[in-house]
Amino acid sequence: MSMLVSYDPITQLALGEVPITTAEKMSGVVKRAKHAQKSWAALSLSERHQQVILAYEQLVKVQEPLTLLISKEMGKDYQRASYEVTGTVQNADYFCQEIASALAPESQGHGVELQYRPLGVVAVISPWNYPLAMANNLLLPALMAGNTVVLKPSEETPLVAELFVNTLNEVLPEGVLQIAHGDAETGKALVNADINMVAFTGSLAAGKHIMASAASSLKRLVMELGGNDAMIVMASADIDKAVQFAVASSFENAGQMCTSTERVYVDARIADEFEQKVVALASRYQVGPWDQKNVNIGPIVNQKQHKSVLSQLKDAEEKGARFLLGTADYELPFIQPTVVADITADMCLEHDETFGPIVAISRFNHISEAITRANASPYGLGATVFGGAGAADVAEQMEAGMVGVNQGPGGAGPWVGAKQSGFGFHGTAAGHRQFTQLRIISK
C-alpha cells in the first residue's frame, strides 16, 4: 500500500503517514458515497442537523491533539493553531443553525415553495494554510444540505484531516464523510469521478484545471483561487492604524493567508512616515518554531514555497527595489520580516501571489494611479482602503469580491472572490445554498 508521509517543516522529520487514495481506488470511494447519500438525503434537515452536531461534539476530546498537529504539520504557532481549532469546534452549533435556517423551505405565496435539495456527492478539496477551518467551511454546509462528502486535504497536512474525519465518523453514518489522501493526481481522480460538485480552495492553476475537467458533466463548482490583495493608503488616512493593519495582514500566518495584504500603495505625501513606522513595527515580530515563546511568524510550509518567496524578493532586488528591512536571501525554513519599498508594476512581488511575510510598498502621486495599479491583476479576492473623506468612493472602484474601508476585507458577508480569484462563493445563507439544488414547487 502506497503511503503519504507528513513531515515537520522545521526538522523535516516524519510525523506520521496515511494511505494514499490512488486513482484505482477512487471509484470505490465514490460508489460508497453515492450509496450512503440516498439514506442521508432521506433524513429531514432537522435529523441531519442533530447528527452533525453530535458528531462535532466528539471533537471536544481531540482539540489538543488537533492543535498540536496543525502546529507540527504546517508550523503555525500554538496560539494561532489553538484559535483555529477552538473556533471550528465551538462555533459548530451556531454555524449549523445558520445553515439549517438558510436551507429551510421558503414560501413565495400563491402556492409556490422554494426548496433547497441535495446535489449528491460533493468533493471538498482543502488547503494547508488553515487545514481545519478551510475544510470545515465547505464540509459543513455540504453535509447539512444532504450531500455526502469526499474530503481531499492538502498533502502537507494529512494528519490533521485524518484525525478530524475519523473523529466525526464516530457518529456519522458510514460513507457520509470519507477522506481521500494524496497529491494532485488524487485530486484529479476525484474531480474526474462521478460526483456532483467540487468545492475547492487553492491555486488559480489548479482551479482552471478543475473547471475544465468539470465541464463535460457540468459539475457544480465553488472555488476560491487565491489572491493578490491590494491596500491603498490615502494622505488622509490614520497612519498608525494603516501601518498596524499593513504589517499584521502581511505577516499573519507567515504571510500564508489568502487575504494577506500583498501590495501597499501609499500616497507620496505620507510615504516617508508610513515606511518608517512599518519598519519599526515589523522589526518587533519574532520568527521561530511553533512552541517558542512570543513567536509571531513560523516557518514557510515547504522548500518549494520558500524558494518561490525568495525568487520574488531577488527579482525585486534586481529591478531596483529598496529593502527597508530584511534581505532577499534566507535559509530554510524561515523568512524573516521583510519590508520592500519602490515596488514597480514589472516586479513579481506586484503581479504574483507571494504567500510570505513581506510588506511590499509603492508610492503614488494621484489616487487614480493607485486604483489602476491595484486593479491591474487577474486576482480580485480582497482589497483595503485606508483614508478619510473619499475612502468609500475609492473602495467602490476596487475590483475585488471583498473590500474593507479602514478595516480588513470580509466581515459578516459571504466569502467571495472577483475576477479569477473565485467562482461561486460560500458563507452566509446565499453561500450555504450554493451546495444545493434549488427546486420550485407550485401547488
Side-chain angles (χ1 to χ4, degrees):
M1 179 182 293
S2 299
M3 303 297 288
L4 172 64
V5 181
S6 176
Y7 294 96
D8 185 316
I10 297 176
T11 66
Q12 291 303 306
L13 296 176
L15 296 169
E17 59 183 22
V18 292
I20 292 173
T21 305
T22 61
E24 292 75 23
K25 296 178 182 177
M26 194 61 72
S27 60
V29 171
V30 173
K31 184 177 180 180
R32 288 190 292 273
K34 291 172 76 71
H35 177 75
Q37 197 271 330
K38 295 178 181 178
S39 55
W40 184 244
L43 297 176
S44 68
L45 178 58
S46 176
E47 289 170 330
R48 289 195 298 271
H49 187 177
Q50 291 173 10
Q51 289 205 32
V52 169
I53 287 297
L54 183 58
Y56 269 74
E57 287 175 353
Q58 309 310 305
L59 293 174
V60 173
K61 64 189 178 185
V62 295
Q63 285 188 97
E64 180 67 10
L66 280 171
T67 298
L68 291 173
L69 281 175
I70 291 175
S71 290
K72 291 178 179 179
E73 281 200 295
M74 63 84 54
K76 188 178 300 186
D77 66 80
Y78 181 86
Q79 185 179 49
R80 284 178 170 81
S82 179
Y83 288 159
E84 181 174 346
V85 174
T86 55
T88 299
V89 176
Q90 295 178 9
N91 291 334
D93 190 27
Y94 171 80
F95 196 13
C96 285
Q97 290 182 36
E98 180 186 85
I99 297 168
S101 177
L103 303 187
E106 294 181 283
S107 173
Q108 298 294 293
H110 306 290
V112 176
E113 183 179 73
L114 274 59
Q115 298 179 347
Y116 298 97
R117 306 294 298 168
L119 286 167
V121 179
V122 175
V124 172
I125 304 177
S126 58
W128 49 262
N129 55 339
Y130 293 89
L132 191 63
M134 299 295 276
N136 183 69
N137 289 344
L138 303 176
L139 184 152
L140 254 186
L143 288 178
M144 286 284 291
N147 306 297
T148 51
V149 172
V150 179
L151 171 64
K152 192 281 176 193
S154 168
E155 58 269 37
E156 300 292 344
T157 51
L159 302 182
V160 173
E162 183 79 1
L163 180 57
F164 178 47
V165 169
N166 286 347
T167 304
L168 293 177
N169 279 338
E170 293 176 9
V171 170
L172 293 176
E174 184 177 356
V176 167
L177 173 61
Q178 299 177 83
I179 194 165
H181 287 297
D183 58 13
E185 293 306 310
T186 298
K188 290 176 183 178
L190 178 56
V191 170
N192 290 326
D194 184 20
I195 60 174
N196 304 92
M197 178 179 180
V198 180
F200 171 75
T201 303
S203 72
L204 175 58
K208 289 181 177 179
H209 183 273
I210 288 171
M211 193 168 187
S213 300
S216 61
S217 56
L218 292 179
K219 294 180 176 75
R220 301 294 181 89
L221 298 174
V222 168
M223 301 193 296
E224 180 196 318
L225 305 177
N228 188 13
D229 284 19
M231 175 183 182
I232 292 178
V233 184
M234 302 169 65
S236 57
D238 181 321
I239 295 180
D240 290 336
K241 288 184 178 179
V243 166
Q244 185 175 25
F245 178 82
V247 175
S249 178
S250 298
F251 290 173
E252 179 60 32
N253 202 22
Q256 299 170 131
M257 182 174 69
C258 54
T259 53
S260 286
T261 295
E262 303 239 347
R263 301 172 288 149
V264 182
Y265 303 104
V266 58
D267 191 297
R269 289 170 289 181
I270 61 168
D272 285 342
E273 181 182 357
F274 180 84
E275 290 176 358
Q276 290 168 8
K277 289 184 173 180
V278 163
V279 171
L281 180 57
S283 300
R284 293 163 52 188
Y285 277 67
Q286 296 187 36
V287 177
W290 64 271
D291 55 352
Q292 182 175 306
K293 190 177 181 180
N294 298 323
V295 161
N296 309 106
I297 298 175
I300 301 302
V301 69
N302 57 34
Q303 184 174 352
K304 179 181 179 182
Q305 181 57 29
H306 191 273
K307 183 178 180 181
S308 174
V309 176
L310 292 189
S311 175
Q312 291 192 30
L313 289 175
K314 290 175 181 176
D315 171 78
E317 184 178 54
E318 291 169 358
K319 292 175 180 175
R322 287 185 295 128
F323 279 69
L324 306 181
L325 180 67
T327 70
D329 191 20
Y330 299 106
E331 293 185 4
L332 286 166
F334 300 104
I335 290 181
Q336 298 292 325
T338 305
V339 180
V340 185
D342 297 345
I343 301 301
T344 55
D346 63 335
M347 293 179 185
C348 296
L349 276 179
E350 171 140 347
H351 56 72
D352 292 339
E353 187 173 31
T354 303
F355 246 52
I358 316 297
V359 183
I361 304 171
S362 184
R363 303 184 180 202
F364 67 85
N365 293 310
H366 303 286
I367 192 66
S368 59
E369 173 194 350
I371 295 169
T372 297
R373 286 182 64 182
N375 290 337
S377 172
Y379 295 104
L381 188 57
T384 308
V385 180
F386 273 73
D393 291 336
V394 173
E396 289 288 345
Q397 300 176 65
M398 302 294 278
E399 296 172 358
M402 302 175 289
V403 184
V405 179
N406 295 314
Q407 62 182 318
W415 195 257
V416 56
K419 299 195 283 191
Q420 295 186 37
S421 281
F423 190 93
F425 53 90
H426 62 88
T428 72
H432 302 329
R433 292 167 182 161
Q434 298 261 313
F435 294 82
T436 68
Q437 171 61 54
L438 176 62
R439 183 167 72 179
I440 313 298
I441 296 292
S442 303
K443 299 177 182 178

